[in-house]
mmCIF file of all heavy atoms in Angstrom:
data_model
loop_
_atom_site.group_PDB
_atom_site.id
_atom_site.type_symbol
_atom_site.label_atom_id
_atom_site.label_comp_id
_atom_site.label_asym_id
_atom_site.label_seq_id
_atom_site.Cartn_x
_atom_site.Cartn_y
_atom_site.Cartn_z
ATOM 1 N N ARG G 196 9.861 34.545 21.878
ATOM 2 C CA ARG G 196 10.495 35.555 22.741
ATOM 3 C C ARG G 196 9.762 35.631 24.141
ATOM 4 O O ARG G 196 8.619 35.396 24.282
ATOM 5 C CB ARG G 196 10.378 36.971 22.082
ATOM 6 C CG ARG G 196 11.414 37.175 21.020
ATOM 7 C CD ARG G 196 11.668 38.604 20.717
ATOM 8 N NE ARG G 196 10.486 39.220 20.035
ATOM 9 C CZ ARG G 196 10.565 40.432 19.469
ATOM 10 N NH1 ARG G 196 11.753 41.106 19.348
ATOM 11 N NH2 ARG G 196 9.512 40.934 18.917
ATOM 12 N N LEU G 232 11.985 58.183 27.299
ATOM 13 C CA LEU G 232 11.615 57.022 26.384
ATOM 14 C C LEU G 232 12.463 57.090 25.067
ATOM 15 O O LEU G 232 12.794 56.066 24.482
ATOM 16 C CB LEU G 232 10.102 57.116 25.992
ATOM 17 C CG LEU G 232 9.194 56.976 27.072
ATOM 18 C CD1 LEU G 232 7.671 57.079 26.648
ATOM 19 C CD2 LEU G 232 9.298 55.643 27.862
ATOM 20 N N LEU G 235 15.658 54.844 24.758
ATOM 21 C CA LEU G 235 15.544 53.365 24.644
ATOM 22 C C LEU G 235 16.071 52.843 23.288
ATOM 23 O O LEU G 235 16.193 51.592 23.176
ATOM 24 C CB LEU G 235 14.093 52.910 24.992
ATOM 25 C CG LEU G 235 13.616 53.167 26.378
ATOM 26 C CD1 LEU G 235 12.140 52.832 26.450
ATOM 27 C CD2 LEU G 235 14.367 52.388 27.450
ATOM 28 N N HIS G 236 16.065 53.678 22.297
ATOM 29 C CA HIS G 236 16.449 53.251 20.878
ATOM 30 C C HIS G 236 17.447 54.200 20.364
ATOM 31 O O HIS G 236 17.435 55.430 20.777
ATOM 32 C CB HIS G 236 15.238 53.219 20.065
ATOM 33 C CG HIS G 236 14.134 52.238 20.434
ATOM 34 N ND1 HIS G 236 13.247 52.604 21.386
ATOM 35 C CD2 HIS G 236 13.871 51.026 19.961
ATOM 36 C CE1 HIS G 236 12.411 51.498 21.522
ATOM 37 N NE2 HIS G 236 12.787 50.597 20.772
ATOM 38 N N ASP G 237 18.245 53.708 19.410
ATOM 39 C CA ASP G 237 19.239 54.590 18.799
ATOM 40 C C ASP G 237 18.603 55.273 17.624
ATOM 41 O O ASP G 237 17.423 55.171 17.342
ATOM 42 C CB ASP G 237 20.523 53.740 18.416
ATOM 43 C CG ASP G 237 20.268 52.729 17.362
ATOM 44 O OD1 ASP G 237 19.249 52.720 16.644
ATOM 45 O OD2 ASP G 237 21.167 51.824 17.164
ATOM 46 N N ALA G 238 19.412 56.004 16.829
ATOM 47 C CA ALA G 238 18.928 56.760 15.770
ATOM 48 C C ALA G 238 18.258 55.944 14.651
ATOM 49 O O ALA G 238 17.373 56.410 13.887
ATOM 50 C CB ALA G 238 19.954 57.694 15.135
ATOM 51 N N ASP G 239 18.606 54.649 14.549
ATOM 52 C CA ASP G 239 18.103 53.808 13.550
ATOM 53 C C ASP G 239 16.886 52.964 14.068
ATOM 54 O O ASP G 239 16.232 52.272 13.304
ATOM 55 C CB ASP G 239 19.138 52.802 13.075
ATOM 56 C CG ASP G 239 20.242 53.472 12.266
ATOM 57 O OD1 ASP G 239 19.899 54.336 11.481
ATOM 58 O OD2 ASP G 239 21.391 53.097 12.587
ATOM 59 N N GLY G 240 16.586 53.107 15.365
ATOM 60 C CA GLY G 240 15.480 52.367 15.895
ATOM 61 C C GLY G 240 15.790 51.070 16.551
ATOM 62 O O GLY G 240 14.938 50.306 16.939
ATOM 63 N N ASN G 241 17.157 50.758 16.648
ATOM 64 C CA ASN G 241 17.592 49.543 17.426
ATOM 65 C C ASN G 241 17.550 49.855 18.820
ATOM 66 O O ASN G 241 17.700 50.875 19.347
ATOM 67 C CB ASN G 241 18.993 49.286 17.026
ATOM 68 C CG ASN G 241 19.185 48.831 15.570
ATOM 69 O OD1 ASN G 241 18.558 47.914 15.084
ATOM 70 N ND2 ASN G 241 20.033 49.706 14.875
ATOM 71 N N VAL G 242 17.086 48.803 19.653
ATOM 72 C CA VAL G 242 17.136 48.900 21.089
ATOM 73 C C VAL G 242 18.488 49.277 21.589
ATOM 74 O O VAL G 242 19.462 48.648 21.244
ATOM 75 C CB VAL G 242 16.549 47.655 21.786
ATOM 76 C CG1 VAL G 242 16.681 47.675 23.304
ATOM 77 C CG2 VAL G 242 15.111 47.400 21.329
ATOM 78 N N ALA G 243 18.546 50.275 22.464
ATOM 79 C CA ALA G 243 19.820 50.742 23.017
ATOM 80 C C ALA G 243 20.030 50.511 24.491
ATOM 81 O O ALA G 243 20.644 51.393 25.094
ATOM 82 C CB ALA G 243 19.995 52.291 22.581
ATOM 83 N N ARG G 249 20.825 39.923 21.794
ATOM 84 C CA ARG G 249 20.427 39.795 20.419
ATOM 85 C C ARG G 249 21.461 38.899 19.714
ATOM 86 O O ARG G 249 22.740 39.174 19.801
ATOM 87 C CB ARG G 249 20.375 41.213 19.751
ATOM 88 C CG ARG G 249 20.056 41.157 18.228
ATOM 89 C CD ARG G 249 19.730 42.484 17.703
ATOM 90 N NE ARG G 249 19.635 42.507 16.202
ATOM 91 C CZ ARG G 249 19.274 43.488 15.471
ATOM 92 N NH1 ARG G 249 18.956 44.648 16.090
ATOM 93 N NH2 ARG G 249 19.217 43.432 14.140
ATOM 94 N N ASP G 259 11.058 42.437 3.059
ATOM 95 C CA ASP G 259 10.602 43.752 3.504
ATOM 96 C C ASP G 259 9.160 43.993 3.064
ATOM 97 O O ASP G 259 8.239 44.549 3.777
ATOM 98 C CB ASP G 259 11.387 44.909 2.992
ATOM 99 C CG ASP G 259 12.747 45.030 3.654
ATOM 100 O OD1 ASP G 259 13.078 44.238 4.586
ATOM 101 O OD2 ASP G 259 13.522 46.004 3.372
ATOM 102 N N PHE G 262 6.689 41.788 5.098
ATOM 103 C CA PHE G 262 6.501 42.389 6.351
ATOM 104 C C PHE G 262 5.653 43.607 6.355
ATOM 105 O O PHE G 262 4.654 43.774 7.148
ATOM 106 C CB PHE G 262 7.862 42.756 7.027
ATOM 107 C CG PHE G 262 7.742 43.112 8.476
ATOM 108 C CD1 PHE G 262 7.685 42.118 9.487
ATOM 109 C CD2 PHE G 262 7.846 44.389 8.831
ATOM 110 C CE1 PHE G 262 7.615 42.411 10.771
ATOM 111 C CE2 PHE G 262 7.593 44.741 10.273
ATOM 112 C CZ PHE G 262 7.590 43.691 11.191
ATOM 113 N N ALA G 263 5.819 44.452 5.394
ATOM 114 C CA ALA G 263 5.035 45.680 5.286
ATOM 115 C C ALA G 263 3.502 45.212 5.022
ATOM 116 O O ALA G 263 2.591 45.861 5.596
ATOM 117 C CB ALA G 263 5.523 46.513 4.072
ATOM 118 N N THR G 266 1.887 43.711 8.294
ATOM 119 C CA THR G 266 1.610 44.732 9.389
ATOM 120 C C THR G 266 0.819 45.814 8.938
ATOM 121 O O THR G 266 0.402 46.680 9.780
ATOM 122 C CB THR G 266 2.978 45.204 9.931
ATOM 123 O OG1 THR G 266 3.690 45.801 8.866
ATOM 124 C CG2 THR G 266 3.755 44.102 10.539
ATOM 125 N N MET G 268 1.595 48.409 6.915
ATOM 126 C CA MET G 268 2.487 49.650 6.970
ATOM 127 C C MET G 268 1.863 50.605 5.885
ATOM 128 O O MET G 268 1.493 50.258 4.750
ATOM 129 C CB MET G 268 3.880 49.379 6.744
ATOM 130 C CG MET G 268 4.576 48.717 7.878
ATOM 131 S SD MET G 268 6.252 48.092 7.566
ATOM 132 C CE MET G 268 6.998 49.557 6.886
ATOM 133 N N GLY G 271 5.468 53.814 1.733
ATOM 134 C CA GLY G 271 6.669 54.547 1.995
ATOM 135 C C GLY G 271 7.169 54.591 3.370
ATOM 136 O O GLY G 271 8.173 55.188 3.653
ATOM 137 N N MET G 272 6.436 53.957 4.309
ATOM 138 C CA MET G 272 6.940 54.007 5.651
ATOM 139 C C MET G 272 8.075 53.112 5.939
ATOM 140 O O MET G 272 8.116 51.904 5.412
ATOM 141 C CB MET G 272 5.720 53.400 6.634
ATOM 142 C CG MET G 272 6.023 53.563 8.100
ATOM 143 S SD MET G 272 6.274 55.115 8.734
ATOM 144 C CE MET G 272 4.691 55.916 8.402
ATOM 145 N N PRO G 273 9.154 53.569 6.536
ATOM 146 C CA PRO G 273 10.327 52.672 6.734
ATOM 147 C C PRO G 273 10.184 51.719 7.958
ATOM 148 O O PRO G 273 9.444 52.027 8.840
ATOM 149 C CB PRO G 273 11.453 53.700 6.985
ATOM 150 C CG PRO G 273 10.734 54.829 7.693
ATOM 151 C CD PRO G 273 9.378 54.928 6.989
ATOM 152 N N LEU G 274 10.888 50.634 7.835
ATOM 153 C CA LEU G 274 11.029 49.782 8.979
ATOM 154 C C LEU G 274 11.950 50.449 10.031
ATOM 155 O O LEU G 274 12.762 51.205 9.679
ATOM 156 C CB LEU G 274 11.601 48.464 8.631
ATOM 157 C CG LEU G 274 10.835 47.579 7.682
ATOM 158 C CD1 LEU G 274 11.597 46.295 7.247
ATOM 159 C CD2 LEU G 274 9.483 47.141 8.172
ATOM 160 N N ILE G 275 11.806 50.116 11.375
ATOM 161 C CA ILE G 275 12.718 50.607 12.303
ATOM 162 C C ILE G 275 13.780 49.521 12.640
ATOM 163 O O ILE G 275 13.494 48.316 12.474
ATOM 164 C CB ILE G 275 12.064 51.140 13.628
ATOM 165 C CG1 ILE G 275 11.473 49.909 14.406
ATOM 166 C CG2 ILE G 275 11.023 52.141 13.351
ATOM 167 C CD1 ILE G 275 11.014 50.400 15.723
ATOM 168 N N GLY G 276 14.920 49.960 13.022
ATOM 169 C CA GLY G 276 16.028 49.010 13.356
ATOM 170 C C GLY G 276 16.810 48.637 12.089
ATOM 171 O O GLY G 276 16.393 48.986 10.949
ATOM 172 N N THR G 277 17.882 47.811 12.254
ATOM 173 C CA THR G 277 18.705 47.432 11.184
ATOM 174 C C THR G 277 18.977 45.876 11.389
ATOM 175 O O THR G 277 18.738 45.263 12.440
ATOM 176 C CB THR G 277 20.040 48.134 11.279
ATOM 177 O OG1 THR G 277 20.722 47.925 12.464
ATOM 178 C CG2 THR G 277 19.890 49.648 11.002
ATOM 179 N N GLY G 278 19.369 45.294 10.239
ATOM 180 C CA GLY G 278 19.642 43.892 10.272
ATOM 181 C C GLY G 278 18.515 43.076 9.759
ATOM 182 O O GLY G 278 17.339 43.645 9.445
ATOM 183 N N PRO G 279 18.607 41.747 9.583
ATOM 184 C CA PRO G 279 17.549 40.869 9.085
ATOM 185 C C PRO G 279 16.246 41.087 9.913
ATOM 186 O O PRO G 279 16.378 41.189 11.221
ATOM 187 C CB PRO G 279 18.104 39.399 9.171
ATOM 188 C CG PRO G 279 19.595 39.577 9.228
ATOM 189 C CD PRO G 279 19.902 40.909 9.901
ATOM 190 N N ILE G 280 15.139 40.965 9.262
ATOM 191 C CA ILE G 280 13.906 41.165 10.014
ATOM 192 C C ILE G 280 13.741 40.069 11.105
ATOM 193 O O ILE G 280 13.338 40.410 12.240
ATOM 194 C CB ILE G 280 12.707 41.175 9.080
ATOM 195 C CG1 ILE G 280 12.754 42.470 8.115
ATOM 196 C CG2 ILE G 280 11.386 41.145 9.836
ATOM 197 C CD1 ILE G 280 11.665 42.510 7.139
ATOM 198 N N GLY G 281 14.048 38.852 10.845
ATOM 199 C CA GLY G 281 13.921 37.784 11.726
ATOM 200 C C GLY G 281 14.721 38.091 12.968
ATOM 201 O O GLY G 281 14.289 37.695 14.136
ATOM 202 N N GLU G 282 15.916 38.606 12.816
ATOM 203 C CA GLU G 282 16.766 38.904 14.004
ATOM 204 C C GLU G 282 16.084 39.985 14.869
ATOM 205 O O GLU G 282 16.064 40.014 16.107
ATOM 206 C CB GLU G 282 18.106 39.381 13.465
ATOM 207 C CG GLU G 282 19.210 39.514 14.564
ATOM 208 C CD GLU G 282 20.435 39.861 13.930
ATOM 209 O OE1 GLU G 282 20.951 39.121 13.083
ATOM 210 O OE2 GLU G 282 21.123 40.903 14.383
ATOM 211 N N ARG G 283 15.447 40.975 14.241
ATOM 212 C CA ARG G 283 14.834 42.000 14.978
ATOM 213 C C ARG G 283 13.585 41.543 15.721
ATOM 214 O O ARG G 283 13.319 42.115 16.821
ATOM 215 C CB ARG G 283 14.472 43.242 13.977
ATOM 216 C CG ARG G 283 15.649 44.096 13.604
ATOM 217 C CD ARG G 283 15.275 45.226 12.689
ATOM 218 N NE ARG G 283 15.378 44.834 11.212
ATOM 219 C CZ ARG G 283 15.119 45.542 10.177
ATOM 220 N NH1 ARG G 283 14.409 46.755 10.481
ATOM 221 N NH2 ARG G 283 15.286 45.132 8.994
ATOM 222 N N ILE G 284 12.859 40.728 15.074
ATOM 223 C CA ILE G 284 11.522 40.403 15.729
ATOM 224 C C ILE G 284 11.472 39.105 16.475
ATOM 225 O O ILE G 284 10.454 38.893 17.188
ATOM 226 C CB ILE G 284 10.398 40.554 14.683
ATOM 227 C CG1 ILE G 284 10.549 39.414 13.608
ATOM 228 C CG2 ILE G 284 10.299 41.789 13.983
ATOM 229 C CD1 ILE G 284 9.376 39.235 12.655
ATOM 230 N N PRO G 288 15.728 41.989 21.106
ATOM 231 C CA PRO G 288 14.752 42.773 21.944
ATOM 232 C C PRO G 288 13.895 43.592 21.245
ATOM 233 O O PRO G 288 14.242 44.072 20.059
ATOM 234 C CB PRO G 288 15.697 43.403 22.982
ATOM 235 C CG PRO G 288 16.887 43.773 22.237
ATOM 236 C CD PRO G 288 17.066 42.628 21.211
ATOM 237 N N ALA G 289 12.794 43.925 21.739
ATOM 238 C CA ALA G 289 11.879 45.047 21.270
ATOM 239 C C ALA G 289 11.255 45.753 22.560
ATOM 240 O O ALA G 289 10.949 45.058 23.501
ATOM 241 C CB ALA G 289 10.777 44.426 20.380
ATOM 242 N N ILE G 290 11.144 46.952 22.426
ATOM 243 C CA ILE G 290 10.546 47.822 23.432
ATOM 244 C C ILE G 290 9.470 48.585 22.886
ATOM 245 O O ILE G 290 9.764 49.430 21.990
ATOM 246 C CB ILE G 290 11.521 48.640 24.228
ATOM 247 C CG1 ILE G 290 12.602 47.809 24.857
ATOM 248 C CG2 ILE G 290 10.782 49.463 25.398
ATOM 249 C CD1 ILE G 290 13.689 48.601 25.509
ATOM 250 N N THR G 291 8.251 48.391 23.217
ATOM 251 C CA THR G 291 7.091 49.092 22.690
ATOM 252 C C THR G 291 6.285 49.834 23.673
ATOM 253 O O THR G 291 5.995 49.320 24.827
ATOM 254 C CB THR G 291 6.129 48.067 22.037
ATOM 255 O OG1 THR G 291 6.920 47.221 21.102
ATOM 256 C CG2 THR G 291 5.023 48.818 21.198
ATOM 257 N N VAL G 292 6.007 51.152 23.381
ATOM 258 C CA VAL G 292 5.186 51.895 24.309
ATOM 259 C C VAL G 292 3.745 51.543 23.996
ATOM 260 O O VAL G 292 3.259 51.921 22.934
ATOM 261 C CB VAL G 292 5.448 53.441 24.122
ATOM 262 C CG1 VAL G 292 4.512 54.234 25.139
ATOM 263 C CG2 VAL G 292 6.931 53.705 24.387
ATOM 264 N N ASN G 316 6.000 47.408 26.942
ATOM 265 C CA ASN G 316 6.010 45.951 26.749
ATOM 266 C C ASN G 316 7.406 45.625 26.120
ATOM 267 O O ASN G 316 7.768 46.130 25.140
ATOM 268 C CB ASN G 316 4.922 45.580 25.732
ATOM 269 C CG ASN G 316 4.847 44.056 25.573
ATOM 270 O OD1 ASN G 316 5.322 43.602 24.555
ATOM 271 N ND2 ASN G 316 4.219 43.394 26.617
#
Side-chain angles (χ1 to χ4, degrees):
R196 280 198 295 195
L232 297 179
L235 296 171
H236 297 81
D237 65 18
D239 293 317
N241 297 300
V242 171
R249 176 170 169 170
D259 286 3
F262 190 80
T266 57
M268 290 170 55
M272 184 65 61
L274 300 173
I275 67 168
T277 57
I280 291 176
E282 188 174 309
R283 280 180 265 176
I284 66 174
I290 302 176
T291 307
V292 181
N316 183 257

